Amino acid sequence: MGAGKTTLGERVAARLGRPFVDLDAEVERRTGRTIPELFAVGEQVFRAAEQEAALEVLGRREPVVLALGGGAVLTPEIRRAVEAHAFTVVLDVDVAEAWRRVEGSDRPLARDRGRFEALYAEREPLYEAIADAAARDEEGILLAAAGIHVGVGALELLGMLVPGDGDAELVMDARVAGIYGMEAQLALGARGRGTHEVPPGEEAKSVGVAERLWRALRLERRGTLVAVGGGCTTDVAGFVAATYLRGIPWVSVPTTLVGQVDAGIGGKTGIDLPEGKNLVGAFHWPVRTVIDPALLATLPEAQVAEGMAEVVKTGLLAGSPLWELPRHDLVRACAAFKAAVCLQDPHDRGPRNQLNLGHTFAHALEAAAGYGGELTHGRAVALGLLAALRLSGLDTRVVEEVLRPQKARVDRDRAWAALTRDKKVEGGVPKLVLLEAPGRPRIGVELPAADVRAALDSLIA
Ligand SMILES: NC(=O)c1ccc[n+]([C@@H]2O[C@H](COP(=O)([O-])OP(=O)(O)OC[C@H]3O[C@@H](n4cnc5c(N)ncnc54)[C@H](O)[C@@H]3O)[C@@H](O)[C@H]2O)c1
């Protein structure tokens, strides 16, 4: 009571694109009586109506976000249904704060502070027993639902954060292993069964490296692969986890800004082929993502700049200047945003497309430049965001000020040819992600080819 279940539940449901059900409101709707009226007849009458409503909602095929009444867990049938059908987040709220919120309301069980505190103490162990995770705010709920733990010092807790108690093997790129290898191994403790190194950078995302890992792994199916590194490491290790023994659990521990706000989240894994980037892969959601923003302290500035391009993209999609936040808050907010979009559309069939904002242009420029040159992905995304904002008729200042994009030195015809070959192109007309306004993405926008070409040309020196 007073934890904020209804307010936060509504917002989380909107972020996940799911219906929201407030159990108390549902009981009132079904019985045609208010909660105080039902309690006036007797608490058992209310609990029976509550049980019936809860079991119906929890048994639905379509997923919903359900705010349980504070006392719903007292009913064993509801507890069992919750355990069987729901991912449950308990809202962590101080008893004094909860009382301040409900004091003077018409809630039947919140008329007396002593009684309220006793109820809180009585119910707390039940909440703890039933909860899969705890959270205090909207971002916390979204992160918990996606299996993401964000916190300074999280690397040290790795042994506890890797679910289960089976063996774990580490995959790290050689540079990251040199800095954090010992700490990660110590954190895994007796569960650790060794470390496999992969080359730093895009070189890791090859069939050769994947094959080496498949052959070196000794894990059984209940073992867990733990990938510690940038997006290249998590991409290849996640893909190996998706395919080894037909799929084993994996934990993603992103150590770059790109990884912590983007690549380490959402379950897309993959490797490159000589024919192109990310051509082979799988959707394989990590059983946990462990984000320790303190690991960014050793990241070279150039890599931070790569990540900032994705941060600005996320802020534009979220409609909030996330790039202005202190580093740790920025990571948490961006991770929660990406998690929500991916939970809404895990297989990239609709809303997740918004994450391609600016990327159609970026990929075209990178392809024309030949990957691995001076036009890094982050620089290309900065330019792509510029084009997307221009075509959306929006202010481009933020991209100019935060990312300072430099025009690309590439061949215009090659870039255009690459853009019209992009995966999102149907019938030669590029489909773009644009913004109606910050926070309001439009997916699959078709514009006249001449306008798109002009926008692309404006990015080229
Ligand atoms: N799966 C997805 O959803 C997704 C999303 C975005 C990008 N990606 C992929 O991510 C890759 C790029 O990831 P990236 O930018 O993290 O590059 P990366 O993995 O190559 O890491 C960049 C460099 O930083 C070093 N490094 C990593 N963490 C460090 C730390 N804490 N301190 C010091 N050095 C550190 C690495 O050794 C490497 O040299 C691309 O292949 C891209 O396709 C995937």
Side-chain angles (χ1 to χ4, degrees):
M1 240 184 297
K5 296 185 292 295
T6 306
T7 316
L8 290 175
E10 238 164 10
R11 284 201 244 143
V12 166
R15 296 279 298 268
L16 298 180
R18 295 181 185 187
F20 172 69
V21 180
D22 179 79
L23 192 56
D24 283 350
E26 184 65 15
V27 170
E28 290 187 331
R29 193 185 63 77
R30 286 160 164 261
T31 58
R33 296 192 196 179
T34 65
I35 305 288
E37 281 167 6
L38 287 166
F39 265 81
V41 186
E43 182 168 345
Q44 303 87 320
V45 177
F46 167 73
R47 294 280 169 226
E50 181 183 55
Q51 177 178 333
E52 197 183 305
L55 297 190
E56 185 277 314
V57 176
L58 286 161
R60 286 187 198 168
R61 278 176 64 93
E62 290 302 311
V64 303
V65 173
L66 170 65
L68 282 181
V73 293
L74 299 171
T75 308
E77 289 81 357
I78 298 184
R79 281 209 300 276
R80 276 199 291 277
V82 164
E83 270 160 358
H85 300 292
F87 180 85
T88 310
V89 181
V90 65
L91 286 177
D92 211 353
V93 66
D94 185 66
V95 64
E97 171 63 19
W99 172 252
R100 200 187 52 72
R101 292 181 192 164
V102 298
E103 189 182 5
S105 70
D106 67 352
R107 301 184 195 220
L109 298 177
R111 305 237 157 97
D112 167 273
R113 183 165 184 158
R115 170 98 186 95
F116 181 82
E117 287 181 357
L119 266 183
Y120 183 96
E122 177 193 322
R123 291 173 180 181
E124 207 179 13
L126 286 174
Y127 295 151
E128 262 174 35
I130 209 174
D132 295 297
R136 300 187 83 97
D137 55 15
E138 180 181 328
E139 279 174 5
I141 299 173
L142 293 166
L143 290 166
I148 302 174
H149 176 95
V150 184
V152 169
L155 185 64
E156 283 173 41
L157 307 177
L158 200 54
M160 208 179 74
L161 290 169
V162 172
D165 55 7
D167 291 347
E169 290 184 31
L170 282 160
V171 176
M172 303 179 102
D173 90 32
R175 182 168 305 147
V176 172
I179 312 174
Y180 299 111
M182 189 63 82
E183 202 176 328
Q185 282 175 27
L186 281 174
L188 280 180
R191 297 177 65 184
R193 287 283 177 272
T195 301
H196 308 273
E197 281 189 16
V198 298
E202 203 66 31
E203 228 187 294
K205 290 175 57 172
S206 69
V207 179
V209 171
E211 183 187 3
R212 197 163 55 63
L213 290 171
W214 284 322
R215 300 182 66 178
L217 286 174
R218 291 289 170 267
L219 291 170
E220 295 178 4
R221 281 180 81 174
R222 56 185 294 277
T224 306
L225 195 64
V226 180
V228 184
C232 294
T233 306
T234 49
D235 269 10
V236 66
F239 175 64
V240 165
T243 42
Y244 175 76
L245 300 182
R246 298 192 181 85
I248 59 167
W250 75 292
V251 170
S252 155
V253 188
T255 62
T256 59
L257 187 56
V258 167
Q260 298 195 345
V261 303
D262 188 357
I265 298 163
K268 272 193 189 177
T269 70
I271 55 173
D272 305 332
L273 293 181
E275 286 73 14
K277 270 184 55 118
N278 297 323
L279 286 182
V280 176
F283 289 99
H284 190 46
W285 199 285
V287 285
R288 175 122 321 136
T289 299
V290 177
I291 299 180
D292 184 345
L295 307 186
L296 301 178
T298 53
L299 195 64
E301 257 326 292
Q303 295 298 336
V304 175
E306 288 294 293
M308 279 314 284
E310 303 300 342
V311 170
V312 170
K313 177 195 81 175
T314 308
L316 288 169
L317 290 170
S320 168
L322 303 180
W323 53 84
E324 289 173 2
L325 294 173
R327 177 76 61 81
H328 296 176
D329 297 344
L330 166 160
V331 164
R332 185 173 191 266
C334 290
F337 182 86
K338 175 148 190 203
V341 172
C342 295
L343 283 172
Q344 186 177 358
D345 179 18
H347 296 104
D348 203 3
R349 299 200 172 108
R352 188 167 177 166
N353 278 198
Q354 68 182 274
L355 301 175
N356 280 317
L357 182 71
H359 281 59
T360 306
F361 291 97
H363 291 148
L365 294 170
E366 286 180 274
Y371 291 94
E374 69 175 33
L375 185 70
T376 63
H377 182 62
R379 287 184 185 167
V381 169
L383 287 168
L385 291 174
L386 210 52
L389 287 174
R390 284 180 185 148
L391 288 172
S392 304
L394 294 173
D395 197 337
T396 55
R397 244 175 315 173
V398 101
V399 172
E400 270 141 17
E401 285 168 11
V402 181
L403 303 177
R404 306 189 177 283
Q406 306 282 323
K407 285 189 177 185
R409 291 175 195 290
V410 299
D411 181 81
R412 286 163 193 254
D413 292 332
R414 275 185 73 182
W416 179 248
L419 191 139
T420 48
R421 269 201 317 265
D422 189 281
K423 285 186 285 225
K424 283 101 210 160
V425 174
E426 277 166 31
V429 187
K431 289 202 187 221
L432 300 171
V433 181
L434 299 182
L435 296 172
E436 264 166 49
R440 285 174 37 211
R442 283 172 64 205
I443 293 168
V445 183
E446 286 181 40
L447 292 178
D451 294 357
V452 180
R453 170 105 206 212
L456 180 67
D457 282 346
S458 75
L459 308 175
I460 299 173

